[in-house]
Amino acid sequence: MTTQGHESHSQVRLLREQFLSKHLPELPGVRDIISASWRRALEHHIDADEPNPIFVTDRDEESLLVRSATPILDNLRAELAGHPVAILLTDADGLVVRRSSVDRALDSGLDRISLAPGYSYAEESIGTNGIGTTLECQEPVLVSGFEHFNSRLAAFECAGAPIHHPVRGHLVGVLDLTSWTGTPGPLLLTLARRTAKQIEEAMLGGLGARELALFRDYLASCQRGSGAILAVNEDVVMVNNHARELYDVADRAALLTHSADVAGATKRVTVLADLPSGVVARLEYRPVYSGSVLAGGVFRVKNQAAAPRAAGTDLHLPGVVGTSPAWRQACAAAQASFSGGNWLMLTGERGTGKAALAQAVARHHAPRGQLIVQDCSGVDDYEAWAGALADEVAGGTAPAVVLRHADSPGTEGMRRLTDVFTSWQGTSLGRAPAWVAVTLSDTSRYPDAAGWLMPFFAHTVEVPPLRHRIEDVRRLVPYLLARHAKSPDLALSDACLRQLMRLPWTGNVRQLDRVLAEVSRRHRSGTIEVTDLPAECRTTARRQLTQLESIERDAIVRSLAAHHGNKERAAADLGMSRATIYRKIRAFGIVPSQ
């Protein structure tokens, strides 16, 4: 435990000023833990006079930490009634998720320095303080008066105690007690340590109740009948012997990947999963509750015979690959549109392959026919553009037409486009296209586009995002890699392929294609390992990172690679502490070098 030394408030103030003016490596009279924190603040270029903490909007207020801590902190607040002490709870990144106090003057003082929910008090954001320094040292820390790096914080006494996950042991947050300078700091620190321990015990109790409820339901499911059973939550995975006997390691990994996507659902869900072995598995999910808290879910897994593939499904369409049920369904619906002579509207996220699917269908059904592909976005003169398109179709022999980004024109452009559609549908086949397909994004800048286009298109097909057909990555990777590789023997290792299948692929197939193109430029031949992937693929973070976070993540990945996975050297190279780089690695889900 680190406590306040005997230096007076004025003495520490003078020592701080001396440090800031001379940047001395050693400063007798200042505790080592404080002087080390001051040096880190200088490295992070923290302002010594004006606090500027980072504000984050998407803090997690429903986590196990918050749920477990709430009743304990409510009791503590009642015990401290009449005392000017604020109770703060943060996550593992120093982001304040809860603050409570009964003293209005203290609340106003904390508001002035933005020590409030949503603000980060990590050291790299604010310098030496009870929250950030506790995170860096991962031990209880008291920071008093001018021991704070920022002079605006000198009016406060802050005692922080780390909170660890009771099962996995990693740091999940900090319990901080803050009051005015002059409050007996050691008492605050003792109370903070005791409260943090109570929160850890409450978390363990909550985990125990959840896991017990999940385990009981899992046992009951195993006893009710034979077959493969999985039980999953964020901390536990249980697999019965039938599952181990029926599915190999690769298939079990695929089953767990699919189960993770729905394990947080509050209602029953059934999903189909194409496994690496070729088996189509049916996962029947049932949520399990511990009281009113979702404890996880139990999956009953059954093999399901794959539906007979009609001629011309995904494996026979030129230029596209995939065998997942969602992809096959989209392919079949698109082909039915062409066979029936109905114009087709393809919707879905950007990069899913909507235009590629439309062109594949046209080439498959009319391999010798003319295919016109045009982009509706970025056109300056839609009148001239629409006229040129009509002339090109009229000069051909009943071509197929694929129009990308048909939702991008504004009102004037849409009017010109629909005039062309009207003329095509009212003229003879010789002057009209044999088939028309348009693609629309799910985030159109022109929300009225669908209303303009719907009267002309009898069929609408939604192309699934890559994360909903992640098993297709196994077939997409060699296909896309062959388009960029200079040598036919360039391939991905099994570990590298598994890493790609863990990613959310927010940019879909287009993002995967870009990643493989980048890798193939750096590697002419041989086997591509996880460490050869770009930084964006070396993490497993679930949420979308901000641009600043992406830059920071990429820098950490590059430094780790340069130092062969040595975290201490990478931290020194980046000018951050070892505790910070460990925390960032966990937060960004960075995959360590093998």
Side-chain angles (χ1 to χ4, degrees):
M1 178 177 72
T2 304
T3 60
Q4 173 70 10
H6 298 290
E7 295 77 25
S8 69
H9 187 68
S10 58
Q11 285 177 324
V12 175
R13 179 175 185 173
L14 292 174
L15 290 167
R16 174 181 172 276
E17 291 174 355
Q18 185 179 358
F19 173 82
L20 292 175
S21 62
K22 298 182 179 180
H23 294 182
L24 299 175
E26 299 294 335
L27 199 62
V30 178
R31 291 184 293 146
D32 291 343
I33 198 168
I34 299 299
S35 60
S37 177
W38 286 356
R39 289 193 294 271
R40 289 193 296 268
L42 288 178
E43 293 170 1
H44 289 302
H45 305 289
I46 302 299
D47 194 307
D49 297 309
E50 192 62 36
N52 187 29
I54 298 170
F55 182 76
V56 180
T57 57
D58 59 346
R59 59 187 183 274
D60 187 359
E61 297 178 340
E62 300 297 330
S63 66
L64 173 64
L65 170 64
V66 176
R67 292 198 309 268
S68 303
T70 295
I72 294 170
L73 301 187
D74 288 343
N75 289 336
L76 180 60
R77 182 176 184 270
E79 292 176 6
L80 292 174
H83 297 279
V85 177
I87 307 164
L88 297 111
L89 182 70
T90 82
D91 66 11
D93 294 317
L95 183 69
V96 179
V97 293
R98 174 185 167 127
R99 188 189 84 187
S100 62
S101 169
V102 295
D103 189 280
R104 291 185 178 180
L106 181 60
D107 274 340
S108 297
L110 297 179
D111 287 340
R112 287 193 293 272
I113 61 171
S114 299
L115 183 48
Y119 287 93
S120 171
Y121 256 65
E123 272 197 351
E124 55 262 38
S125 175
I126 205 72
T128 310
N129 71 92
I131 294 170
T133 307
T134 296
L135 287 173
E136 290 293 332
C137 301
Q138 298 201 20
E139 63 178 276
V141 174
L142 177 66
V143 181
S144 177
F146 279 98
E147 287 185 332
H148 289 94
F149 184 79
N150 192 287
S151 62
R152 289 280 303 280
L153 276 60
F156 302 97
E157 193 101 1
C158 303
I163 303 171
H164 294 89
H165 193 284
V167 175
R168 288 180 284 176
H170 66 278
L171 190 69
V172 294
V174 168
L175 186 281
D176 176 83
L177 299 180
T178 293
S179 185
W180 302 112
T181 298
T183 303
L187 293 179
L188 284 182
L189 192 62
T190 299
L191 184 56
R193 293 180 65 219
R194 188 189 72 183
T195 306
K197 187 61 66 178
Q198 290 174 342
I199 293 172
E200 291 177 351
E201 292 171 354
M203 291 175 65
L204 180 60
L207 283 172
R210 287 194 315 142
E211 266 61 78
L212 183 59
L214 183 62
F215 183 60
R216 285 174 175 169
D217 206 291
Y218 165 74
L219 286 180
S221 298
C222 293
Q223 293 168 356
R224 280 196 291 267
S226 59
I229 303 293
L230 309 178
V232 179
N233 66 18
E234 64 268 27
D235 293 303
V236 172
V237 173
M238 291 178 274
V239 181
N240 70 347
N241 286 331
H242 288 286
R244 293 189 181 92
E245 293 169 357
L246 290 172
Y247 305 105
D248 61 19
V249 173
D251 279 2
R252 290 202 300 273
L255 287 172
L256 292 175
T257 298
H258 281 276
S259 67
D261 289 337
V262 296
T266 58
K267 297 181 179 179
R268 290 175 179 259
V269 178
T270 299
V271 296
L272 295 180
D274 270 17
L275 305 183
S277 64
V279 172
V280 178
R282 179 184 180 91
L283 285 77
E284 299 173 353
Y285 165 82
R286 185 183 71 260
V288 178
Y289 288 87
S290 174
S292 60
V293 177
L294 183 67
V298 172
F299 292 82
R300 186 173 293 277
V301 186
K302 301 176 182 178
N303 287 349
Q304 178 167 309
R309 296 177 181 173
T313 56
D314 53 279
L315 293 180
H316 298 90
L317 288 176
V320 294
V321 294
T323 59
S324 65
W327 177 250
R328 289 203 305 267
Q329 183 178 3
C331 291
Q335 292 185 87
S337 166
F338 193 105
S339 301
N342 297 306
W343 291 6
L344 175 65
M345 180 185 294
L346 291 157
T347 64
E349 298 178 9
R350 292 184 179 273
T352 52
K354 300 184 290 292
L357 175 57
Q359 294 174 63
V361 169
R363 290 194 181 102
H364 174 73
H365 286 272
R368 296 197 176 105
Q370 182 184 2
L371 175 61
I372 298 173
V373 181
Q374 290 204 16
D375 196 328
C376 299
S377 64
V379 177
D380 295 326
D381 186 348
Y382 277 101
E383 182 178 6
W385 177 84
L389 175 62
D391 291 343
E392 185 177 5
V393 170
T397 55
V401 176
V402 175
L403 301 178
R404 302 174 63 237
H405 308 125
D407 51 349
S408 59
T411 301
E412 180 60 27
M414 199 62 71
R415 183 179 292 113
R416 299 294 181 185
L417 185 59
T418 54
D419 285 346
V420 172
F421 289 164
T422 300
S423 67
W424 284 347
Q425 292 194 344
T427 190
S428 60
L429 184 61
R431 296 184 59 82
W435 185 62
V436 178
V438 297
T439 70
L440 281 71
S441 171
D442 65 333
T443 56
S444 172
R445 296 181 179 177
Y446 185 55
D448 295 332
W452 285 87
L453 298 173
M454 285 298 290
F456 300 95
F457 293 87
H459 285 188
T460 299
V461 172
E462 182 176 1
V463 178
L466 184 55
R467 64 183 176 276
H468 290 172
R469 59 182 189 106
I470 198 68
E471 57 268 41
D472 285 342
V473 169
R474 290 185 177 275
R475 294 170 176 82
L476 281 165
V477 164
Y479 173 77
L480 297 174
L481 194 61
R483 293 176 13 181
H484 303 292
K486 303 298 183 182
S487 171
D489 65 346
L490 183 65
L492 270 67
S493 69
D494 290 342
C496 189
L497 185 59
R498 286 195 299 271
Q499 172 62 15
L500 294 183
M501 293 181 70
R502 294 189 188 105
L503 302 176
W505 295 113
T506 54
N508 295 296
V509 179
R510 184 182 301 159
Q511 181 188 6
L512 176 61
D513 185 55
R514 175 178 55 77
V515 165
L516 295 175
E518 181 180 341
V519 170
S520 65
R521 284 195 296 270
R522 298 197 307 265
H523 298 272
R524 299 285 178 170
S525 61
T527 301
I528 299 169
E529 301 293 345
V530 174
T531 51
D532 299 321
L533 295 173
E536 65 184 288
C537 298
R538 296 273 301 282
T539 68
T540 55
R542 289 289 182 182
R543 65 181 177 88
Q544 183 75 25
L545 299 181
T546 66
Q547 184 176 7
L548 185 61
E549 288 174 326
S550 297
I551 293 171
E552 185 177 32
R553 173 206 62 193
D554 292 356
I556 292 173
V557 168
R558 285 193 296 269
S559 186
L560 285 170
H563 294 286
H564 307 289
N566 188 303
K567 299 180 181 65
E568 292 186 22
R569 292 179 181 174
D573 180 43
L574 294 168
M576 63 176 61
S577 71
R578 184 173 62 177
T580 298
I581 199 169
Y582 272 92
R583 189 169 71 252
K584 296 292 185 182
I585 287 171
R586 289 195 300 269
F588 294 144
I590 295 173
V591 178
S593 302
Q594 301 298 320

